[in-house]
Amino acid sequence: KAGVTQTPRYLIKTRGQQVTLSCSPISGHRSVSWYQQTPGQGLQFLFEYFSETQRNKGNFPGRFSGRQFSNSRSEMNVSTLELGDSALYLCASSDGAGPGNTIYFGEGSWLTVV
Amino acid sequence: GIQVEQSPPDLILQEGANSTLRCNFSDSVNNLQWFHQNPWGQLINLFYIPSGTKQNGRLSATTVATERYSLLYISSSQTTDSGVYFCAVDIYNFNKFYFGSGTKLNVKP
């Protein structure tokens, strides 16, 4: 079974631009969550989608948004990029939530904002 | 939100040595997982362990939920064990995991 696939793996953007990152979960998984990792703040939860519905959201500004499609693939978008948005963005998938649930991460998308 | 603290922050070992990594959390949790982040950034699942003890080869983990801590044991360490180890907990059952700041392990040959 293929793992979680994230694209693109590396990208460089300019301040003020927007970026869209994609995540394909493990086949059969309906939950997709996103995390931002920076040296200063560590790993922080962005949002989680289950069957196309956002169930939970972290403390990030509205410039960060996401969505999930009917095939469980997910995208996240960051508009009006700032230098501080430079980070590793990680996507995780699982087949549910709660006790007994295990999440699996993709390799991440390295975003550099210049 | 819940506080997750990991110790030590850095650890240097000689190949073959054993180590214990600790994770303290400030609230009751429904889910606790240990991850190893490789040099390329990917987080690899090691254990799902909200309570009890599990073993997988040279690695084992114990969580004492009533005392709000978890331990990860690495025995006979190898250079490939190097990387950052994270503990993550979920209290809301919506896959909203809170991560500790990690333990950076360097195993020297």
Side-chain angles (χ1 to χ4, degrees), chain B residues 15-92:
Chain B
E15 200 168 27
N18 303 328
S19 62
T20 301
L21 283 57
R22 187 177 179 102
C23 172
N24 293 332
F25 43 95
S26 61
D27 205 342
S28 299
V29 300
N30 290 313
N31 194 329
L32 187 150
Q33 294 183 29
W34 282 96
F35 297 90
H36 174 220
Q37 188 166 40
N38 64 26
W40 299 272
Q42 187 171 13
L43 286 164
I44 307 297
N45 282 69
L46 297 176
F47 293 102
Y48 160 78
I49 188 164
S51 63
T53 298
K54 287 186 179 180
Q55 180 156 6
N56 184 3
R58 296 182 296 102
L59 301 181
S60 63
T62 294
T63 298
V64 183
T66 53
E67 296 187 23
R68 298 180 184 168
Y69 73 89
S70 182
L71 302 173
L72 177 68
Y73 305 96
I74 304 174
S75 64
S76 304
S77 58
Q78 301 174 358
T79 56
T80 52
D81 295 331
S82 296
V84 185
Y85 290 81
F86 288 100
C87 161
V89 301
D90 178 13
I91 59 175
Y92 297 117

Side-chain angles (χ1 to χ4, degrees), chain A residues 79-95:
Chain A
S79 62
T80 319
L81 284 165
E82 302 176 359
L83 295 179
D85 297 332
S86 294
L88 174 63
Y89 290 88
L90 290 159
C91 166
S93 82
S94 72
D95 60 4

